Amino acid sequence: MKKTATAQKFITISSLSILLSMLTVVLGAPLLRVLRKAYGPRAFWILGLLATGAAWLLNAQPLALFLGSIWMTLGAYMEMEQRGFGWWISGLLSVALGSLAAGLGLFGAFRKNGINTYAEVQRLAEQFSQRVQDMNPVVKLDPAILVQQIPSAIVIVLVLALGLGLIFERRVFSWLNLPREKIASQLKLLEYRVPDYVIWVAMIAFLLTMVSFGGKAIAILAVNIVNVVIVLYFFQGLAVLEVFLNSIRAGVFMRVLTYIILVGQLLLLLSIVGLIDYWVDFRGRIRKIPTTENN
């Protein structure tokens, strides 16, 4: 079958990307990336404005917030990627723009609903925490901590969306039978490595969460940084895991089982593996292990 970007496929991709974003927040990202690459910037941005604007006008501000910020992040990353920017700079700037869009959207949503003070925001967090506890008594959320960690929560959602978009883009192109243009500066998961200086930022931030230095504001900032760094190193741990699975030629069943256990249940373990990879270089060691074909 000839690989062509048809109007029918455009409708399919658009509908699925919006639906998955509504249901899961981040799982629509691979489809959004395919949409941008297959149909160009004009279609991508116009659809994003229409979807976000419609959600806002329908008084679904949380949905508009998620849609707008993720759309901005993925779109900005693609624009910079196609202009030859490195993946790290593209990622930082696009997540920053997405976070700004989310922050402005959150501010607008608060103002529209008459929430103008920090005390009112905290009361909203208390109501949310109570609803979560009513649905699941085991889960207990501290409203004050919840409000303090809103910035890192926004950044984490955008980083996850961008990461999933990059990882699953090729599979979505194949599934939809669309022509895929490769970009020279495009990041490959197996080569993903957090820049070396981030380890020092992570260690300092972690230290500031353990000791009283600089007051409460510094401690809150440090916690937010640690939260984001954990996700960045999660993807590095994921890259290590993928290299290991490739080295042992793991089948589909073993891959699925491994990802269910490690990604679904032990996410923090992969973050620790990614962090240790800075010193150990797991991938380099794994690739040096002789395979049966080399013996």
Side-chain angles (χ1 to χ4, degrees):
M1 185 185 295
K2 186 178 180 180
K3 294 185 176 182
T4 54
T6 63
Q8 184 179 2
K9 288 181 180 179
F10 176 77
I11 295 171
T12 300
I13 296 170
S14 303
S15 303
L16 284 176
S17 61
I18 294 172
L19 179 62
L20 285 173
S21 297
M22 290 171 59
L23 296 176
T24 64
V25 182
V26 298
L27 291 184
L31 286 159
L32 289 178
R33 185 164 167 83
V34 170
L35 175 69
R36 169 59 180 80
K37 293 186 76 171
Y39 293 91
R42 183 177 298 178
F44 177 86
W45 290 113
I46 289 175
L47 182 63
L49 287 172
L50 290 175
T52 304
W56 188 272
L57 291 174
L58 291 171
N59 208 31
Q61 283 86 25
L63 175 59
L65 178 69
F66 289 130
L67 280 176
S69 57
I70 290 176
W71 222 289
M72 174 63 75
T73 301
L74 290 165
Y77 185 92
M78 281 287 298
E79 300 298 335
M80 286 180 275
E81 181 184 52
Q82 291 196 328
R83 285 165 175 74
F85 285 79
W87 69 268
W88 179 249
I89 296 298
S90 299
L92 281 179
L93 293 178
S94 61
V95 169
L97 287 171
S99 299
L100 178 61
L104 292 173
L106 194 61
F107 177 76
F110 283 160
R111 291 296 299 271
K112 186 173 182 179
N113 290 280
I115 301 172
N116 300 308
T117 65
Y118 182 81
E120 290 172 332
V121 173
Q122 191 154 352
R123 279 199 294 273
L124 188 65
E126 289 171 358
Q127 294 172 7
F128 175 76
S129 301
Q130 188 60 50
R131 288 179 183 176
V132 172
Q133 193 167 354
D134 290 342
M135 290 187 291
N136 189 349
V138 177
V139 178
K140 293 184 179 180
L141 299 175
D142 187 324
I145 294 176
L146 197 63
V147 173
Q148 291 168 6
Q149 297 186 26
I150 287 176
S152 61
I154 291 172
V155 173
I156 286 170
V157 167
L158 298 181
V159 170
L160 286 173
L162 183 57
L164 290 173
L166 292 169
I167 290 170
F168 292 107
E169 169 201 330
R170 181 175 60 83
R171 294 182 182 276
V172 175
F173 266 109
S174 177
W175 171 57
L176 292 168
N177 198 34
L178 284 168
R180 178 171 176 255
E181 178 188 355
K182 294 184 178 180
I183 301 173
S185 60
Q186 186 168 326
L187 173 68
K188 297 179 178 63
L189 174 62
L190 300 185
E191 299 169 3
Y192 172 84
R193 189 180 298 275
V194 180
D196 291 348
Y197 67 84
V198 176
I199 193 70
W200 303 109
V201 175
M203 292 173 68
I204 293 171
F206 182 73
L207 179 63
L208 291 174
T209 65
M210 306 296 291
V211 298
S212 299
F213 177 79
K216 185 177 180 180
I218 297 295
I220 292 173
L221 176 62
V223 170
N224 279 277
I225 291 173
V226 168
N227 291 342
V228 174
V229 166
I230 286 173
V231 177
L232 293 177
Y233 280 106
F234 160 75
F235 283 109
Q236 186 157 328
L238 197 63
V240 172
L241 175 62
E242 189 63 24
V243 169
F244 172 72
L245 292 174
N246 287 344
S247 71
I248 63 173
R249 292 175 173 78
V252 175
F253 176 77
M254 186 173 183
R255 282 178 181 273
V256 171
L257 184 62
T258 301
Y259 276 100
I260 289 175
I261 295 173
L262 290 180
V263 179
Q265 307 295 327
L266 301 172
L267 185 147
L268 185 59
L269 177 61
L270 279 180
S271 298
I272 294 171
V273 169
L275 184 67
I276 298 174
D277 187 56
Y278 169 76
W279 291 282
V280 177
D281 186 17
F282 289 116
R283 282 167 284 184
R285 293 172 181 269
I286 291 170
R287 286 169 177 144
K288 291 177 181 177
I289 298 174
T291 62
T292 53
E293 290 184 358
N294 296 330
N295 291 335

